[in-house]
Amino acid sequence: MMYAFARDGGIPGHSFFHYVNARWQSPIRTVWLACTLSFCPGLPSLGSSLAFPAATSIPTFGLYISYAVPVSLRLIYRKQFKRGPFHLGPFSYPVAILDVGWVSFIAIVFILPELYPVDSQTLNYAIVAVGIVITYSIGFWLISARKWFTGPVRQIEEEQMAAGVLPPPRE
């Protein structure tokens, strides 16, 4: 996912991280960035056994949110949404509602503290970490990216659709 964001120009330093190593045929810089960013939230757990549950719930919490945001936008902007070649047909809307409901429920579960009473030592800081990422992302969009970001690079070429490999998108 990180490489796709770099390829599409969606992260700071995208031109540096978009590079694919010729020898390894892999985006080594982006792999190291992803490893570093995955490692950092786990560092507080080295000093506290209570920080470990928060460190393990951050990636899951963030991943669920990253799936729910586009689905929520599809529900909100239902009339403007254009289907791609892969969709669930008439089941799209009910499945989207179930998805958003499930993510709302599981997000609450992942931010609950594991021990009571809740104090500074037992608070689940996953919500703080995810809040920082969301604040940064929205700030980056408002300050910079909305002026130049044009959207993702298409992976499904028109030639594939013309050759009959994929059906044309429904509108």
Side-chain angles (χ1 to χ4, degrees), residues 86-110:
F86 306 105
H87 56 83
L88 296 173
F91 298 106
S92 294
Y93 195 72
V95 169
I97 291 171
L98 284 171
D99 173 60
V100 172
W102 171 253
V103 170
S104 300
F105 168 75
I106 206 70
I108 293 168
V109 170
F110 275 117

Side-chain angles (χ1 to χ4, degrees), residues 63-164:
L63 194 60
Y64 272 120
I65 291 172
S66 73
Y67 290 151
V69 167
V71 175
S72 299
L73 291 173
R74 189 251 192 266
L75 288 173
I76 294 167
Y77 298 106
R78 188 175 181 188
K79 301 291 184 204
Q80 294 100 331
F81 184 78
K82 292 183 182 178
R83 288 188 191 186
F86 306 105
H87 56 83
L88 296 173
F91 298 106
S92 294
Y93 195 72
V95 169
I97 291 171
L98 284 171
D99 173 60
V100 172
W102 171 253
V103 170
S104 300
F105 168 75
I106 206 70
I108 293 168
V109 170
F110 275 117
I111 62 174
L112 291 174
E114 289 195 9
L115 298 173
Y116 291 94
V118 179
D119 59 19
S120 64
Q121 298 300 311
T122 60
L123 180 68
N124 185 344
Y125 286 97
I127 189 68
V128 175
V130 172
I132 290 169
V133 171
I134 290 172
T135 302
Y136 172 78
S137 300
I138 291 172
F140 179 62
W141 171 258
L142 292 173
I143 293 169
S144 176
R146 69 184 170 98
K147 299 172 187 168
W148 52 265
F149 185 70
T150 59
V153 175
R154 284 186 60 102
Q155 291 294 303
I156 301 171
E157 300 297 328
E158 297 296 328
E159 297 87 54
Q160 288 177 316
M161 285 191 219

